[in-house]
Amino acid sequence: MAIEGRNITKRFGDFTALDDVSIDVPAGSLTALLGPSGGGKSTLLRIIAGLEAPDAGEVSIEGRDMAGVTPQERGVGFVFQHYAAFKHMTVRENVAFGLRIRKRAKAEVNRRVDELLALVQLKPFAQRYPSELSGGQRQRMALARALAVEPSVLLLDEPFGALDANVREELRAWLRRLHQEMPVTTLFVTHDQEEAMELADQIVVISNGRVEQAGAPGDLYDRPANDFVMNFIGPVTRIDGRLVRPHDLQLFVEPTASADEAVVERIVRLGFEVRVEVALADGQPVSAQLPRTEAEQLELREGDIVYVRATIGESASQPRPTTRFARPSSSHRSPAPTP
Amino acid sequence: MKSRLALRTVALGYLGLLLLLPVGMVFYRAFEHGLAKFFDALTTPDAKHAIGLTLLVVGIAVPVNTVFGIITALALERRSFRGRAVVERIVDMPFVISPIVVGLALVLVYGEQGWAGNALISEGIRVIFSVPGIVLATMFVSLPFVVREVAPVLREIGTEQEEAAQNLGASACQTFRRVTLPAIRPAVAYGVVLTTARALGEFGAVAVVSGHLQGQTETMTLYVQDRFEGFDVSGAYAISVLLAVFAMSALLGMTYLDRRRSRRT
């Protein structure tokens, strides 16, 4: 394990930020710390970096116990949520900072900084000041600065939190590629489950200072340990007192065994998928999600009566019963309009 | 349009009557008998001694209060400790206590009857009616300026840049020199200007502790009072003008340095 955290507890006054948290980050992985804001993710990151001392528990990095090791000596790269750019230094000076502190030879510093600026695509901006950069550029500068000292692990605190949606998308893809080229063990904090699913090969879900579940994105999605994880990782809907994924619901137009009668309230076309919002007999709303072609076959309209059933205990990879979308051919309605 | 003109007239009239006219009069009177007389008034032995003493006092009080001010501001904003609120209030004391009370307080402690003064005098060190007392009084009254300029800036810039520097391997000292100091530099500069102006112009506290010994413990402000009361008004005006020139050069010098630095950022 590149990073091991054991039974870490941290309190701020009466508030317990972390409560007996243990975490393993495999070497070379891209691991996400996922959870709602204020759940203790950033505190855990800061403890690993040595910026905060835990009240109990221990951290080791590459097998080395970090107790009493200063932030300077941990060999941890840290990218702050708001980048923490040195405002009075140029991009070049920012990236060179760690190397200059380490008193590396000038030629070596220049060569390494040039490499990194090329890597983060900031070469034309080397002489600019942080105030003259966009958010995405500042983020990449902060990343280059952290990578300059060749850290054994890289910690990113909400790396895309302060960026526009389209820039975020672009940087995500870029970070994924960067990690493939240069597989530094990376642990990043996010409250965006989509970001975690897309980027990480391991996700640790943290809420209220506790680890709810850790595992591969697919595992968490298909086998959530509890309702919280299920709720947090992807959409859910409640039927028969259970939480299920909207795409694990079957809709029938004819009465079917163990399916509940419901009225279609709204049909939302999301592009490839269609969300059908129905209300059960007792008025409880349930939302089902199905591919467009299947929805079209059902020819649903608002106000229609449908029968809804969860695919209990079936894993997502299993083929769904073909009867699922069966519909009598005697339909006199025209097909549902396509978006 | 009319109201704007009225506003301008009132503002300028106020500044003119209250500030420009009196100060202008001092300048006028200082030079009314020509430059030669002005320089004569500045170069009497007592005048030269007063100028030297004031520069000495400022030369000690300003650097000491600058260093102390930065350290105090760092302690207040970067460390949490018991009694932090008390320190905050103590720093502000010179703002609220009348300088003459400061002078009296120093006499109580360091004077011949004072507990510290007694011990020091038996060691041969004279504080009151001597240069050390003047330096102490000046430091006291000009103490809060750097702290009060620097502390809010430290709070505003936050700790992230400093943590980033530490994370990149910088020691506390390196972090301060390379990251914190450049960020607070304009505030320090402004604090230094205010401290200098206050130290140059201090009268009340210094008046109590100096004893007005001409050619020995007389600073420029005391010299001005002394000459004025002794009907040597040209001497009083000449030194007054020099005091103003010193204060303004400090302001201009710092503005210039500040601008040259901020052009880079």
Side-chain angles (χ1 to χ4, degrees):
Chain A
M1 288 296 150
I3 306 173
E4 268 178 85
R6 285 286 158 268
N7 312 103
I8 295 167
T9 296
K10 176 74 185 177
R11 285 182 207 91
F12 296 103
D14 292 336
F15 174 69
T16 303
L18 294 170
D19 185 6
D20 199 29
V21 164
S22 294
I23 177 181
D24 289 311
V25 180
S29 74
L30 191 48
T31 298
L33 277 178
L34 174 66
S37 302
K41 310 177 300 280
S42 293
T43 306
L44 183 55
L45 215 60
R46 291 173 59 82
I47 287 174
I48 294 168
L51 297 172
E52 212 87 64
D55 294 326
E58 52 216 45
V59 174
S60 64
I61 296 174
E62 298 197 312
R64 202 170 133 232
D65 182 19
M66 287 290 126
V69 180
T70 64
Q72 285 90 339
E73 295 163 337
R74 291 199 179 202
V76 165
F78 199 106
V79 176
F80 291 81
Q81 186 176 0
H82 301 290
Y83 325 126
F86 302 138
K87 293 198 178 82
H88 59 286
M89 296 182 200
T90 60
V91 169
R92 185 171 198 91
E93 289 165 337
N94 263 279
V95 176
F97 187 86
L99 297 168
R100 292 241 172 92
I101 292 287
R102 283 166 177 73
K103 304 253 188 304
R104 298 284 169 80
K106 216 172 193 170
E108 193 202 330
V109 173
N110 283 334
R111 189 184 50 76
R112 181 98 183 102
V113 172
D114 281 336
E115 270 173 33
L116 282 159
L117 288 177
L119 184 75
V120 299
Q121 298 150 20
L122 282 179
K123 240 179 168 169
F125 303 97
Q127 297 311 321
R128 296 240 188 135
Y129 284 93
S131 59
E132 300 164 330
L133 299 181
S134 71
Q137 290 168 335
R138 261 179 245 176
Q139 175 65 276
R140 283 182 276 144
M141 182 194 83
L143 201 58
R145 186 175 71 180
L147 288 171
V149 297
E150 288 164 345
S152 56
V153 300
L154 188 60
L155 309 176
L156 312 172
D157 191 1
E158 296 272 6
F160 315 115
L163 300 172
D164 293 341
N166 52 341
V167 181
R168 196 152 46 194
E169 202 78 18
E170 211 177 284
L171 263 180
R172 251 189 237 167
W174 176 81
L175 185 68
R176 184 79 241 188
R177 277 201 308 278
L178 185 75
H179 188 257
Q180 271 158 7
E181 278 172 44
M182 212 170 45
V184 181
T185 308
T186 305
L187 178 63
F188 71 100
V189 158
T190 179
H191 60 258
D192 180 345
Q193 57 92 15
E194 206 183 300
E195 193 167 289
M197 298 291 272
E198 191 180 321
L199 268 178
D201 32 48
Q202 211 216 178
I203 298 178
V204 180
V205 181
I206 290 194
S207 150
N208 285 327
R210 289 171 170 279
V211 173
E212 299 285 349
Q213 191 175 1
D219 281 350
L220 298 195
Y221 193 86
D222 294 332
R223 286 177 288 282
N226 53 40
D227 280 1
F228 177 83
V229 175
M230 172 121 191
N231 219 326
F232 205 74
I233 305 243
V236 288
T237 193
R238 187 173 286 278
I239 189 167
D240 299 334
R242 288 193 313 131
L243 284 177
V244 292
R245 301 271 181 232
H247 56 69
D248 283 337
L249 286 178
Q250 298 173 306
L251 293 182
F252 304 91
V253 288
E254 308 258 290
T256 309
S258 71
D260 299 334
E261 192 183 296
V263 181
V264 177
E265 297 210 305
R266 200 158 163 247
I267 297 168
V268 186
R269 282 158 234 285
L270 303 167
F272 171 69
E273 291 202 303
V274 173
R275 188 168 73 224
V276 183
E277 295 174 6
V278 304
L280 298 177
D282 59 1
Q284 198 204 330
V286 170
S287 130
Q289 208 154 314
L290 37 149
R292 208 175 79 188
T293 45
E294 294 179 8
E296 278 168 13
Q297 281 169 29
L298 284 172
E299 292 178 24
L300 291 178
R301 287 280 176 86
E302 279 163 26
D304 281 3
I305 301 289
V306 290
Y307 298 88
V308 55
R309 187 175 77 181
T311 53
I312 306 157
E314 286 173 296
S315 92
S317 58
Q318 251 177 311
R320 281 156 182 159
T322 46
T323 55
R324 186 175 167 196
F325 303 112
R327 181 186 166 82
S329 54
S330 62
S331 164
H332 53 272
R333 280 199 213 110
S334 58
T338 50
Chain B
M1 199 51 212
K2 222 171 192 176
S3 72
R4 195 190 297 171
L5 196 69
L7 198 68
R8 208 174 290 169
T9 313
V10 170
L12 282 180
Y14 180 76
L15 285 176
L17 279 176
L18 215 65
L19 299 178
L20 290 178
L21 185 66
V23 175
M25 276 309 285
V26 169
F27 272 73
Y28 171 73
R29 294 300 289 274
F31 292 106
E32 78 183 325
H33 302 297
L35 271 181
K37 278 267 191 277
F38 174 74
F39 281 112
D40 282 348
L42 289 184
T43 46
T44 64
D46 285 354
K48 278 178 14 194
H49 184 271
I51 295 167
L53 181 59
T54 289
L55 291 181
L56 173 75
V57 170
V58 169
I60 298 172
V62 173
V64 171
N65 274 341
T66 302
V67 172
F68 168 83
I70 294 171
I71 293 171
T72 309
L74 282 171
L76 287 174
E77 296 303 326
R78 291 291 186 263
R79 301 271 183 275
S80 54
F81 54 91
R82 264 167 183 279
R84 193 179 164 282
V86 178
V87 173
E88 286 258 10
R89 297 286 81 80
I90 290 176
V91 166
D92 284 339
M93 256 170 56
F95 277 151
V96 293
I97 296 179
S98 167
I100 202 147
V101 179
V102 173
L104 281 174
L106 289 175
V107 170
L108 280 178
V109 178
Y110 297 104
E112 274 173 56
Q113 315 297 320
W115 55 269
N118 230 328
L120 285 168
I121 284 164
S122 62
E123 294 291 319
I125 302 166
R126 202 165 179 66
V127 176
I128 300 304
F129 304 144
S130 174
V131 176
I134 298 173
V135 173
L136 274 181
T138 307
M139 278 167 59
F140 192 119
V141 296
S142 62
L143 178 145
F145 293 99
V146 172
V147 183
R148 284 290 159 243
E149 288 300 321
V150 172
V153 176
L154 278 174
R155 200 174 317 144
E156 191 196 309
I157 59 173
T159 53
E160 267 205 351
Q161 289 186 53
E162 290 163 17
E163 287 176 344
Q166 276 177 37
N167 177 254
L168 291 165
S171 67
C173 208
Q174 287 169 318
T175 302
F176 176 74
R177 223 179 51 239
R178 291 170 181 241
V179 176
T180 314
L181 190 57
I184 61 172
R185 197 166 268 151
V188 173
Y190 199 55
V192 166
V193 169
L194 292 177
T195 310
T196 307
R198 188 77 175 85
L200 279 171
E202 176 50 27
F203 176 76
V206 169
V208 178
V209 297
S210 100
H212 288 267
L213 305 175
Q214 277 184 27
Q216 287 178 47
T217 63
E218 213 167 52
T219 61
M220 287 166 80
T221 50
L222 299 181
Y223 181 87
V224 169
Q225 187 212 18
D226 197 50
R227 289 293 127 154
F228 188 75
E229 286 176 350
F231 303 104
D232 173 17
V233 282
S234 58
Y237 290 138
I239 292 286
S240 301
V241 163
L242 197 60
L243 269 174
V245 168
F246 283 167
M248 279 189 250
S249 359
L251 183 61
L252 288 176
M254 283 300 174
T255 317
Y256 171 71
L257 286 179
D258 203 37
R259 197 171 295 159
R260 236 182 40 181
R261 280 210 188 82
S262 62
R263 204 180 295 151
R264 293 189 300 145
T265 49

Coordinates of all heavy atoms in Angstrom, one line a residue, chain B residues 139-205:
Chain B
M139 N 8.9 54.6 21.4 CA 8.5 53.2 21.0 C 7.1 52.9 21.5 O 6.3 52.2 20.7 CB 9.5 52.2 21.6 CG 10.8 52.1 20.7 SD 12.1 51.2 21.6 CE 11.4 49.7 21.9
F140 N 6.9 53.3 22.7 CA 5.5 53.0 23.3 C 4.4 53.6 22.4 O 3.5 52.8 22.0 CB 5.5 53.6 24.7 CG 4.3 53.2 25.5 CD1 4.5 52.5 26.7 CD2 3.0 53.5 25.1 CE1 3.4 52.1 27.5 CE2 1.9 53.1 25.9 CZ 2.1 52.4 27.1
V141 N 4.5 54.8 22.1 CA 3.4 55.5 21.4 C 3.3 55.0 19.9 O 2.2 55.1 19.3 CB 3.5 57.0 21.4 CG1 3.3 57.5 22.9 CG2 4.7 57.5 20.8
S142 N 4.4 54.5 19.3 CA 4.3 54.2 17.9 C 4.3 52.7 17.7 O 4.4 52.2 16.6 CB 5.6 54.7 17.2 OG 6.7 54.2 17.7
L143 N 4.0 51.9 18.8 CA 4.0 50.5 18.7 C 2.9 49.8 17.9 O 3.2 48.9 17.1 CB 4.0 49.9 20.2 CG 3.9 48.4 20.4 CD1 4.7 48.1 21.6 CD2 2.5 47.9 20.5
P144 N 1.7 50.3 17.9 CA 0.6 49.5 17.3 C 0.6 49.5 15.7 O -0.1 48.7 15.1 CB -0.7 50.1 17.8 CG -0.3 51.1 18.8 CD 1.1 51.4 18.6
F145 N 1.2 50.5 15.1 CA 0.9 50.7 13.7 C 1.3 49.6 12.8 O 0.5 49.2 12.0 CB 1.7 52.0 13.2 CG 1.2 53.2 13.9 CD1 1.8 53.8 14.9 CD2 0.0 53.8 13.4 CE1 1.3 54.9 15.6 CE2 -0.5 55.0 14.0 CZ 0.2 55.5 15.1
V146 N 2.5 49.0 12.9 CA 2.8 47.8 12.1 C 1.9 46.6 12.3 O 1.4 46.0 11.4 CB 4.3 47.5 12.2 CG1 4.6 46.2 11.5 CG2 5.2 48.6 11.7
V147 N 1.6 46.4 13.6 CA 0.8 45.2 14.0 C -0.6 45.4 13.3 O -1.1 44.5 12.7 CB 0.5 45.1 15.5 CG1 -0.3 43.9 15.8 CG2 1.9 45.1 16.2
R148 N -1.1 46.6 13.5 CA -2.5 46.9 13.0 C -2.6 46.9 11.4 O -3.6 46.7 10.9 CB -3.1 48.2 13.6 CG -3.5 48.0 15.0 CD -4.7 47.1 15.1 NE -4.9 46.6 16.4 CZ -4.8 45.3 16.7 NH1 -4.7 44.4 15.7 NH2 -4.9 44.8 17.9
E149 N -1.5 47.2 10.8 CA -1.5 47.1 9.3 C -1.3 45.7 8.8 O -1.9 45.3 7.8 CB -0.4 48.0 8.7 CG -0.6 49.5 8.9 CD -1.8 50.0 8.1 OE1 -2.1 49.5 7.0 OE2 -2.6 50.8 8.7
V150 N -0.4 44.9 9.5 CA 0.0 43.6 9.0 C -1.1 42.5 9.3 O -1.4 41.7 8.5 CB 1.4 43.3 9.5 CG1 1.7 41.8 9.2 CG2 2.4 44.2 8.9
A151 N -1.6 42.6 10.6 CA -2.5 41.5 11.0 C -3.7 41.3 10.1 O -3.9 40.1 9.7 CB -3.0 41.8 12.5
P152 N -4.4 42.3 9.7 CA -5.6 42.0 8.8 C -5.2 41.4 7.4 O -5.9 40.6 6.9 CB -6.2 43.4 8.5 CG -5.6 44.3 9.4 CD -4.3 43.7 10.0
V153 N -4.0 41.8 6.9 CA -3.5 41.3 5.7 C -3.2 39.8 5.8 O -3.5 39.0 5.0 CB -2.3 42.0 5.1 CG1 -1.7 41.4 3.9 CG2 -2.7 43.5 4.9
L154 N -2.5 39.4 7.0 CA -2.2 38.0 7.2 C -3.5 37.2 7.3 O -3.6 36.1 6.7 CB -1.5 37.9 8.6 CG 0.0 38.2 8.6 CD1 0.5 38.1 10.0 CD2 0.7 37.1 7.7
R155 N -4.6 37.8 7.9 CA -5.8 37.1 8.0 C -6.4 36.9 6.6 O -6.9 35.8 6.3 CB -6.8 37.9 8.9 CG -7.9 37.1 9.4 CD -8.7 37.9 10.4 NE -7.9 38.7 11.3 CZ -8.2 40.0 11.7 NH1 -9.3 40.5 11.3 NH2 -7.4 40.6 12.4
E156 N -6.3 37.9 5.8 CA -6.9 37.9 4.5 C -6.2 36.9 3.5 O -6.9 36.1 2.8 CB -6.9 39.3 3.9 CG -7.7 39.4 2.6 CD -7.4 40.7 1.9 OE1 -7.3 41.7 2.5 OE2 -7.1 40.6 0.7
I157 N -4.9 36.8 3.6 CA -4.2 35.9 2.6 C -4.4 34.5 3.1 O -4.2 33.6 2.3 CB -2.7 36.2 2.4 CG1 -2.0 36.2 3.8 CG2 -2.5 37.6 1.8 CD1 -0.5 36.4 3.6
G158 N -4.7 34.2 4.4 CA -4.9 32.9 4.8 C -3.7 32.0 4.9 O -2.6 32.5 4.7
T159 N -3.8 30.8 5.2 CA -2.6 29.9 5.4 C -2.3 29.0 4.3 O -1.3 28.3 4.3 CB -2.9 29.1 6.7 OG1 -4.1 28.3 6.5 CG2 -3.0 29.9 7.9
E160 N -3.2 29.0 3.2 CA -2.9 28.0 2.2 C -1.6 28.1 1.5 O -0.9 27.1 1.3 CB -4.1 28.1 1.1 CG -5.2 27.1 1.4 CD -6.0 26.7 0.2 OE1 -5.8 27.3 -0.9 OE2 -6.8 25.9 0.3
Q161 N -1.2 29.3 1.2 CA 0.1 29.5 0.5 C 1.2 29.0 1.4 O 2.2 28.4 0.9 CB 0.3 31.0 0.1 CG -0.6 31.5 -1.0 CD -0.2 32.9 -1.4 OE1 0.9 33.2 -1.7 NE2 -1.2 33.8 -1.4
E162 N 1.1 29.3 2.7 CA 2.2 28.9 3.6 C 2.2 27.4 3.7 O 3.3 26.8 3.7 CB 2.0 29.6 5.0 CG 2.2 31.1 4.9 CD 1.6 31.8 6.1 OE1 1.3 31.2 7.1 OE2 1.5 33.1 6.0
E163 N 1.1 26.8 3.7 CA 1.0 25.3 3.8 C 1.6 24.7 2.5 O 2.3 23.7 2.6 CB -0.4 24.8 4.0 CG -0.9 25.1 5.5 CD -2.4 24.7 5.7 OE1 -3.1 24.6 4.7 OE2 -2.8 24.6 6.8
A164 N 1.3 25.3 1.4 CA 1.8 24.8 0.1 C 3.3 24.9 0.2 O 4.0 23.9 -0.3 CB 1.3 25.6 -1.0
A165 N 3.9 26.0 0.7 CA 5.3 26.1 0.7 C 5.9 25.0 1.6 O 6.9 24.4 1.3 CB 5.7 27.5 1.2
Q166 N 5.3 24.8 2.8 CA 5.8 23.8 3.7 C 5.8 22.4 3.0 O 6.7 21.6 3.1 CB 4.9 23.6 4.9 CG 5.1 24.6 6.0 CD 4.1 24.4 7.1 OE1 3.7 23.3 7.4 NE2 3.6 25.5 7.6
N167 N 4.7 22.2 2.3 CA 4.5 20.9 1.7 C 5.5 20.7 0.6 O 5.9 19.6 0.3 CB 3.1 20.9 1.0 CG 2.8 19.6 0.2 OD1 2.8 19.7 -1.0 ND2 2.6 18.5 0.9
L168 N 6.0 21.8 0.0 CA 7.1 21.7 -1.0 C 8.4 21.7 -0.4 O 9.4 21.7 -1.1 CB 6.9 22.9 -2.0 CG 5.7 22.8 -2.9 CD1 5.4 24.1 -3.6 CD2 5.8 21.7 -4.0
G169 N 8.5 21.6 0.9 CA 9.8 21.4 1.6 C 10.4 22.7 2.2 O 11.5 22.6 2.8
A170 N 9.7 23.8 2.2 CA 10.3 25.0 2.7 C 10.2 25.0 4.3 O 9.1 24.7 4.8 CB 9.5 26.2 2.2
S171 N 11.2 25.4 4.9 CA 11.2 25.5 6.4 C 10.4 26.7 6.8 O 10.0 27.5 5.9 CB 12.7 25.7 6.9 OG 13.1 26.9 6.5
A172 N 10.1 26.9 8.1 CA 9.4 28.0 8.6 C 10.0 29.3 8.1 O 9.3 30.2 7.7 CB 9.2 27.9 10.1
C173 N 11.3 29.3 8.2 CA 12.0 30.5 7.9 C 11.9 30.8 6.4 O 11.7 32.0 6.0 CB 13.5 30.3 8.3 SG 14.3 31.8 8.7
Q174 N 12.1 29.8 5.6 CA 12.0 30.0 4.1 C 10.6 30.4 3.7 O 10.4 31.2 2.8 CB 12.4 28.7 3.4 CG 13.9 28.4 3.5 CD 14.2 27.0 3.0 OE1 13.6 26.0 3.3 NE2 15.3 26.9 2.2
T175 N 9.6 29.7 4.4 CA 8.2 30.1 4.1 C 8.0 31.5 4.3 O 7.4 32.2 3.5 CB 7.3 29.2 4.9 OG1 7.6 27.8 4.7 CG2 5.8 29.5 4.6
F176 N 8.5 32.0 5.5 CA 8.2 33.4 5.8 C 8.9 34.3 4.8 O 8.3 35.2 4.3 CB 8.8 33.7 7.2 CG 8.7 35.2 7.6 CD1 7.4 35.7 7.9 CD2 9.8 36.0 7.5 CE1 7.3 37.1 8.2 CE2 9.7 37.4 7.8 CZ 8.4 37.9 8.2
R177 N 10.2 34.0 4.5 CA 10.9 34.9 3.6 C 10.4 34.9 2.2 O 10.3 35.9 1.5 CB 12.4 34.5 3.6 CG 13.3 35.7 3.7 CD 14.8 35.3 3.7 NE 15.1 34.4 2.7 CZ 15.6 33.2 2.9 NH1 15.8 32.7 4.1 NH2 16.0 32.4 1.9
R178 N 10.0 33.7 1.7 CA 9.7 33.6 0.3 C 8.2 33.8 0.0 O 7.8 34.1 -1.1 CB 10.2 32.3 -0.3 CG 11.7 32.2 -0.3 CD 12.0 30.7 -0.7 NE 13.5 30.6 -0.7 CZ 14.1 30.2 -1.8 NH1 13.5 29.9 -2.9 NH2 15.4 30.1 -1.8
V179 N 7.4 33.5 1.0 CA 5.9 33.5 0.7 C 5.2 34.5 1.5 O 4.5 35.4 1.0 CB 5.3 32.1 1.0 CG1 3.8 32.1 0.8 CG2 6.0 31.1 0.0
T180 N 5.4 34.5 2.9 CA 4.6 35.4 3.7 C 5.0 36.9 3.6 O 4.2 37.7 3.3 CB 4.7 35.0 5.2 OG1 4.5 33.6 5.3 CG2 3.6 35.7 6.0
L181 N 6.3 37.1 3.7 CA 6.8 38.5 3.6 C 6.5 39.2 2.3 O 6.0 40.3 2.4 CB 8.4 38.5 3.9 CG 9.0 39.9 4.1 CD1 8.3 40.6 5.3 CD2 10.5 39.8 4.3
P182 N 6.7 38.5 1.1 CA 6.3 39.3 -0.1 C 4.8 39.6 -0.1 O 4.4 40.7 -0.6 CB 6.5 38.3 -1.2 CG 7.6 37.3 -0.6 CD 7.3 37.3 0.8
A183 N 4.0 38.8 0.6 CA 2.5 39.1 0.6 C 2.2 40.2 1.5 O 1.2 41.0 1.2 CB 1.8 37.8 1.0
I184 N 2.9 40.4 2.6 CA 2.6 41.4 3.6 C 3.4 42.7 3.4 O 3.2 43.7 4.1 CB 2.7 40.9 5.0 CG1 4.2 40.6 5.3 CG2 1.8 39.8 5.4 CD1 4.4 40.3 6.8
R185 N 4.3 42.7 2.4 CA 5.2 43.8 2.2 C 4.6 45.1 2.1 O 5.0 46.1 2.8 CB 6.1 43.5 1.0 CG 7.4 44.4 1.0 CD 8.4 43.8 0.0 NE 9.3 42.9 0.6 CZ 9.9 41.9 -0.1 NH1 9.6 41.7 -1.4 NH2 10.7 41.1 0.5
P186 N 3.5 45.3 1.3 CA 2.9 46.6 1.2 C 2.3 47.1 2.6 O 2.5 48.2 2.9 CB 1.8 46.4 0.2 CG 2.1 45.2 -0.5 CD 2.9 44.3 0.4
A187 N 1.8 46.1 3.3 CA 1.2 46.5 4.7 C 2.4 46.9 5.6 O 2.2 47.8 6.4 CB 0.5 45.3 5.2
V188 N 3.5 46.2 5.5 CA 4.6 46.5 6.4 C 5.1 47.9 6.0 O 5.3 48.8 6.9 CB 5.8 45.5 6.2 CG1 7.0 46.0 7.0 CG2 5.4 44.1 6.7
A189 N 5.2 48.2 4.7 CA 5.7 49.5 4.3 C 4.8 50.6 4.8 O 5.3 51.6 5.3 CB 5.7 49.5 2.7
Y190 N 3.5 50.4 4.7 CA 2.6 51.4 5.2 C 2.7 51.6 6.7 O 2.7 52.7 7.2 CB 1.2 51.1 4.8 CG 0.2 52.3 4.8 CD1 0.6 53.4 4.1 CD2 -0.9 52.2 5.6 CE1 -0.3 54.5 4.2 CE2 -1.7 53.4 5.7 CZ -1.4 54.5 5.0 OH -2.2 55.6 5.1
G191 N 2.8 50.5 7.4 CA 3.0 50.5 8.8 C 4.3 51.3 9.2 O 4.3 52.0 10.2
V192 N 5.3 51.1 8.5 CA 6.6 51.8 8.7 C 6.4 53.3 8.6 O 6.9 54.1 9.4 CB 7.7 51.2 7.8 CG1 8.9 52.1 7.9 CG2 8.1 49.8 8.3
V193 N 5.7 53.7 7.5 CA 5.5 55.1 7.3 C 4.7 55.7 8.5 O 5.1 56.7 9.0 CB 4.7 55.3 6.0 CG1 4.2 56.8 5.9 CG2 5.5 55.0 4.8
L194 N 3.6 55.0 8.9 CA 2.9 55.5 10.0 C 3.7 55.6 11.3 O 3.6 56.6 12.1 CB 1.6 54.7 10.2 CG 0.6 54.7 9.1 CD1 -0.6 53.7 9.4 CD2 0.0 56.1 9.0
T195 N 4.5 54.5 11.5 CA 5.3 54.5 12.7 C 6.3 55.7 12.7 O 6.5 56.3 13.7 CB 6.1 53.2 12.8 OG1 5.2 52.1 12.6 CG2 6.8 53.0 14.1
T196 N 6.9 55.8 11.5 CA 7.9 56.9 11.4 C 7.3 58.3 11.6 O 7.8 59.1 12.4 CB 8.5 56.9 9.9 OG1 9.0 55.6 9.7 CG2 9.6 57.9 9.8
A197 N 6.1 58.5 11.0 CA 5.4 59.8 11.2 C 5.1 60.0 12.7 O 5.4 61.1 13.2 CB 4.2 59.8 10.4
R198 N 4.7 59.0 13.3 CA 4.3 59.1 14.7 C 5.5 59.3 15.6 O 5.5 60.2 16.5 CB 3.6 57.8 15.2 CG 3.0 57.8 16.6 CD 1.7 58.6 16.6 NE 1.1 58.6 17.9 CZ 1.4 59.4 18.9 NH1 2.3 60.4 18.7 NH2 0.7 59.3 20.0
A199 N 6.6 58.6 15.3 CA 7.9 58.7 16.1 C 8.5 60.1 15.9 O 9.0 60.7 16.8 CB 8.8 57.7 15.7
L200 N 8.4 60.6 14.6 CA 9.0 62.0 14.4 C 8.2 63.0 15.2 O 8.8 63.9 15.7 CB 8.9 62.3 12.9 CG 9.9 61.7 11.9 CD1 9.5 62.0 10.5 CD2 11.3 62.4 12.2
G201 N 6.9 62.9 15.2 CA 6.1 63.9 15.7 C 5.7 63.8 17.1 O 5.1 64.7 17.7
E202 N 6.1 62.8 17.8 CA 5.7 62.6 19.2 C 6.2 63.7 20.1 O 7.4 64.2 20.0 CB 6.3 61.2 19.7 CG 6.0 61.0 21.2 CD 4.5 61.2 21.5 OE1 3.7 61.1 20.7 OE2 4.3 61.6 22.7
F203 N 5.3 64.2 20.9 CA 5.6 65.4 21.7 C 5.3 65.1 23.2 O 6.2 65.1 24.0 CB 4.9 66.6 21.2 CG 5.1 67.8 22.1 CD1 6.2 68.5 22.0 CD2 4.1 68.2 23.0 CE1 6.4 69.6 22.8 CE2 4.3 69.3 23.8 CZ 5.5 70.0 23.7
G204 N 4.1 64.7 23.5 CA 3.6 64.6 24.9 C 4.4 63.7 25.8 O 4.9 64.1 26.8
A205 N 4.5 62.5 25.4 CA 5.2 61.5 26.2 C 6.7 61.8 26.3 O 7.3 61.8 27.4 CB 5.1 60.1 25.6

